[in-house]
Amino acid sequence: MRKIVIAGNWKMYKTNQEAVQVLTELKRLTKDVKGVDIVIGAPFTALSDAIKVVEGSNIKIAAENVYPKSEGAFTGEISPTMLKSIGVSHVIIGHSERREIFKETDEFINEKVKAVLAEGLTPIFCIGEKLEERENGKTVEVNERQVRKGLKDLTREDARKVIVAYEPVWAIGTGKTATPEMAQETHKEIRNVLADMFGIDVANDMTIQYGGSMKPENAKDLLGQADIDGGLVGGASLKAESFFEIIKAGI
Ligand code: PGA
């Protein structure tokens, strides 16, 4: 059966000290939480200390990006091997901000997914359509393309380990959320694509998170949908209290 995973995506927020503060508070709040996997995606500079703070808790730490080689002359980049060596367990890959601002392609994202899996880390693989794509009736087509290209050539065994995060781009940081029914419909379509690629058993085991203005007020309804298995939370993950409210909605 698939897991419920509530992950925070801190983006380019929080100094090391701020990260330690929020995680210390989150660790206290979540000490009795069971049945939900909790992940925080933190900036590279905060990863080492973040991992130390959450030791002995049920919080896992994700990087927000990675370069798909284990080492080499790639100035400024960070490898899956380096992330693993400090205790990172998850990596956010293909976030719409990386696709948009940093022009990451489906092919490059596919390389990252494979490199992260090869190191034994869990990819949080992001997909999602833009507003004009939804308005032009291209939602299914866009998400299907991103899934097929981003997870191309994965074995069934590896596919099972991937967390998919469906984040409609028009809902990210805008306060606009997909209605639970709208999100459920797209999640179901994504799962159908995964079933076509990897078989129904694997597809049924894969966690598909919703992301895009998930907050304490809407989390319960979204997470109550049959094919929504967690959340990737930006703004509302920056404070321990609001993130904890979302975690509780996932229990
Ligand atoms: P948001 O961001 O919750 O602030 O909309 C979600 C994300 O970008 O992962």
Side-chain angles (χ1 to χ4, degrees):
M1 222 13 229
R2 50 192 186 250
K3 290 193 212 157
I4 303 297
V5 185
I6 308 288
N9 174 15
W10 280 354
K11 311 191 180 191
M12 200 175 74
Y13 291 99
K14 299 210 184 292
T15 62
N16 195 34
Q17 291 83 342
E18 290 164 345
V20 166
Q21 245 170 27
V22 176
L23 284 168
T24 306
E25 176 65 359
L26 189 65
K27 184 175 172 180
R28 190 182 63 76
L29 290 170
T30 58
K31 66 179 180 343
D32 298 323
V33 170
K34 289 200 180 62
V36 177
D37 284 8
I38 306 167
V39 182
I40 286 285
F44 286 130
T45 44
L47 290 176
S48 252
D49 281 355
I51 285 152
K52 287 184 197 126
V53 175
V54 301
E55 217 179 282
S57 78
N58 45 4
I59 304 169
K60 302 256 178 17
I61 299 297
E64 300 174 17
N65 188 25
V66 71
Y67 192 75
K69 294 274 186 264
S70 48
E71 62 178 12
F74 304 104
T75 302
E77 295 297 325
I78 302 286
S79 75
T81 319
M82 293 167 178
L83 295 174
K84 188 172 182 189
S85 74
I86 59 165
V88 166
S89 56
H90 294 65
V91 185
I92 301 172
I93 297 175
H95 189 278
S96 65
E97 286 147 22
R98 298 223 53 95
R99 292 178 187 263
E100 276 294 296
I101 306 168
F102 302 101
K103 310 290 175 228
E104 291 193 8
T105 62
D106 289 315
E107 290 71 24
F108 190 43
I109 290 164
N110 178 244
E111 279 185 55
K112 293 185 180 202
V113 169
K114 289 195 230 164
V116 158
L117 285 164
E119 201 57 66
L121 303 172
T122 303
I124 300 179
F125 163 66
C126 306
I127 57 170
E129 80 287 355
K130 296 183 208 162
L131 184 58
E132 64 270 27
E133 291 165 339
R134 178 164 281 267
E135 286 173 349
N136 292 332
K138 296 227 167 15
T139 300
V140 180
E141 185 185 319
V142 169
N143 285 293
E144 173 157 8
R145 189 202 72 227
Q146 291 181 355
V147 169
R148 287 196 186 275
K149 292 193 168 180
L151 302 183
K152 190 167 183 269
D153 297 333
L154 257 59
T155 62
R156 288 160 55 92
E157 197 189 326
D158 271 346
R160 211 185 274 275
K161 298 174 191 154
V162 175
I163 296 173
V164 177
Y166 165 60
E167 301 199 296
V169 178
W170 47 272
I172 295 178
T174 58
K176 285 186 204 151
T177 327
T179 62
E181 296 71 28
M182 206 192 250
Q184 163 59 24
E185 195 187 336
T186 312
H187 277 238
K188 182 89 205 137
E189 280 151 0
I190 293 165
R191 203 178 302 283
N192 288 341
V193 176
L194 295 170
D196 187 53
M197 291 174 78
F198 306 112
I200 186 77
D201 291 357
V202 172
N204 279 338
D205 276 354
M206 289 175 73
T207 296
I208 308 180
Q209 298 174 318
Y210 170 81
S213 299
M214 189 182 262
K215 325 178 247 272
E217 305 84 69
N218 59 27
K220 191 115 207 139
D221 285 346
L222 285 161
L223 295 168
Q225 302 296 312
D227 287 281
I228 302 186
D229 317 311
L232 184 56
V233 186
S237 72
L238 294 170
K239 291 206 172 78
E241 296 76 20
S242 52
F243 191 54
F244 181 49
E245 289 304 313
I246 296 175
I247 292 167
K248 283 195 285 185
I251 295 175

